[in-house]
Amino acid sequence: MAKKLFVPGPVDVSEDVAAKMASPMIGHRSKSYADLHARTVEKLKKVMYTSNKVFLGACSGSGWMEAAVINCVAKKALHVVNGAFSQRWFKISKAWGKEAEALEVPLGSAVKPEQVEDKLNSGEYDTLFVTHNETATGAMTPLEGFGKLCADNKVVFCVDAVSSMAGVKIEVDKLGIDVLVTGTQKCFGVAPGLAMTAVSEKALEKSKTIPHRGLYFDFQDYLKKDEKNNTPSTPPIPQIVALDYQLDKILNKEGLENRFKRHREMAEYTREWAKKNWAMFTEDWCSSDTVTCVKNTRNADLEDLKTKLSDKGYVFANGYGDLKGKTFRIAHMGDRTLDELKAYLLAIDQTLGV
Ligand SMILES: Cc1ncc(COP(=O)(O)O)c(C=O)c1O
């Protein structure tokens, strides 16, 4: 029996969505593919609230994170670092030899626009990197206010929404996000292997000024192929077919607002449970709607708990990186229902005799 995934990605894929991945293969330089590509991108734009270009990549979220660095950093990057995934983005900039600075924010907290205002006004930076939903700490950064600061200072605003897009409303155009990165395997409820990025005109223009953009993640190549509803190299067709189908369900069957509401309700239920039996690791004002990070105040043996929950048919998420053993995470994203979540939290209580 397949175990229920309560890890923050990959998430369980509904049977009908998974079945779409077994559709007969098509060639990617065909009209069938161009049609599939065009309609998938159009639907994605609705979920992202954007009229910017949306590119599909045969990669995980990290691929487009790297692309944002390659295509947008010419002068100096400012990375907000409040957990392992934002740290990874900073490391990508360093690995590419870019000038980069980390603005450290305590784990479990998030950045506010006033914390970056002076830096952005200084003219020293041309890019700002913010992780919307730090999956390692359960901190979700309210994104209002950053876009204007970036626009006023000709800074390219890059946002990682790998673990929040399609579970939380992120209005890309209204927020002034220049590069938004996400992937299929979390809130979209599709198998891993496809990542998506929304790229503004400003970011595309910036990319032209950067001489060495490598080959695989060059925005200019993606732009050229986008005109033909295609990709520079072979796209992950099974995932795109499944995403196309899942987007119809998201937009027309459940509805975006209902989807966001379901995620919020699951988060609220989990936070209440966490506060009753444990403690929240994340500060209240920035607690995530898609993943809850719980402090292990009972000093439970989390690896033992993981084994016992596995025997009951669940996959448990320990804390990430340095937070392993000190925290654990409850994912409530994708097509997960509140009833399934309640059953899982009860299974944790029963296993520990809470
Ligand atoms: C917030 C965040 N950013 C980036 C990543 C990396 O994404 P991927 O594993 O798809 O490369 C993850 C993965 O869990 C994530 O949660």
Side-chain angles (χ1 to χ4, degrees):
M1 189 193 72
K3 294 184 199 299
K4 275 198 174 357
L5 292 166
F6 276 88
V7 293
V11 299
D12 288 328
V13 179
S14 301
E15 262 177 41
D16 54 337
V17 177
K20 287 286 165 190
M21 295 189 67
S23 302
M25 194 46 56
I26 54 173
H28 66 296
R29 304 300 186 212
S30 66
K31 179 164 184 326
S32 304
Y33 177 76
D35 291 347
L36 167 70
H37 186 107
R39 64 176 182 265
T40 305
V41 163
E42 277 319 298
K43 291 173 209 170
L44 278 171
K45 287 183 180 182
K46 290 187 183 154
V47 176
M48 296 178 171
Y49 297 84
T50 189
S51 56
N52 288 344
K53 294 290 178 197
V54 171
F55 301 144
L56 309 179
C59 57
S60 70
S62 304
W64 287 127
M65 287 163 76
E66 187 144 348
V69 167
I70 297 169
N71 285 274
C72 301
V73 185
K75 199 156 56 173
K76 188 170 179 183
L78 180 61
H79 284 265
V80 175
V81 174
N82 62 337
F85 292 102
S86 39
Q87 180 77 35
R88 179 186 295 185
W89 220 354
F90 175 57
K91 279 189 191 158
I92 293 172
S93 278
K94 299 298 262 183
W96 272 87
K98 305 281 187 182
E99 274 282 304
E101 181 182 320
L103 175 74
E104 303 267 355
V105 173
L107 299 182
S109 191
V111 71
K112 291 185 175 158
E114 52 268 32
Q115 288 171 266
V116 296
E117 188 167 2
D118 286 348
K119 285 187 184 290
L120 296 185
N121 287 340
S122 73
E124 198 181 336
Y125 310 88
D126 62 355
T127 33
L128 173 67
F129 293 85
V130 174
T131 301
H132 176 237
N133 195 61
E134 219 341 316
T135 319
T137 68
M140 199 164 77
T141 304
L143 293 171
E144 291 75 18
F146 294 99
K148 182 166 186 327
L149 284 176
C150 288
D152 288 350
N153 290 290
K154 296 191 169 54
V155 168
V156 177
F157 182 27
C158 303
V159 172
D160 167 353
V162 168
S163 61
S164 50
M165 181 55 82
V168 177
K169 189 181 222 171
I170 306 168
E171 295 179 275
V172 167
D173 290 357
K174 214 189 239 182
L175 290 163
I177 298 170
D178 292 304
V179 181
L180 181 127
V181 176
T182 190
T184 42
Q185 78 275 22
K186 299 188 198 270
C187 300
F188 283 93
V190 176
L194 166 63
M196 303 81 84
T197 187
V199 185
S200 72
E201 192 56 39
K202 183 167 111 190
L204 289 169
E205 283 304 308
K206 184 70 186 289
S207 145
K208 282 188 198 159
T209 69
I210 294 181
H212 300 293
R213 300 188 297 271
L215 199 89
Y216 197 66
F217 286 122
D218 182 354
F219 281 167
Q220 296 305 316
D221 278 352
Y222 273 88
L223 185 61
K224 249 181 255 154
K225 288 294 183 196
D226 179 75
E227 284 166 18
K228 295 179 176 163
N229 294 313
N230 222 299
T231 50
S233 49
T234 315
I237 294 167
Q239 279 89 343
I240 298 175
V241 172
L243 178 63
D244 175 43
Y245 173 82
Q246 173 74 331
L247 285 167
D248 279 336
K249 287 178 72 185
I250 292 174
L251 292 166
N252 305 324
K253 199 164 171 210
E254 182 171 27
L256 277 176
E257 291 298 339
N258 287 335
R259 193 171 181 85
F260 302 147
K261 184 164 163 267
R262 177 169 54 79
H263 279 79
R264 199 172 323 115
E265 282 170 359
M266 291 193 294
E268 281 164 2
Y269 187 89
T270 309
R271 290 199 277 267
E272 230 173 84
W273 171 86
K275 284 177 184 173
K276 196 168 90 200
N277 297 331
W278 311 76
M280 287 289 291
F281 179 74
T282 320
E283 292 173 13
D284 268 341
W285 69 277
C286 59
S287 285
S288 166
D289 278 356
T290 65
V291 58
T292 296
C293 187
V294 184
K295 231 189 243 178
N296 182 11
T297 45
R298 310 175 84 90
N299 279 324
D301 180 339
L302 297 181
E303 284 305 294
D304 182 57
L305 177 62
K306 184 175 177 172
T307 306
K308 288 178 173 151
L309 285 169
S310 175
D311 293 343
K312 293 180 178 178
Y314 294 111
V315 184
F316 170 82
N318 203 325
Y320 192 91
D322 294 344
L323 294 173
K324 191 173 177 181
K326 297 178 196 145
T327 67
F328 62 92
R329 293 162 306 149
I330 309 284
H332 28 78
M333 57 173 75
D335 292 341
R336 182 63 68 224
T337 66
L338 182 58
D339 283 345
E340 289 169 329
L341 175 73
K342 284 180 180 174
Y344 177 59
L345 298 180
L346 186 64
I348 295 180
D349 290 347
Q350 287 171 343
T351 306
L352 293 172
V354 172

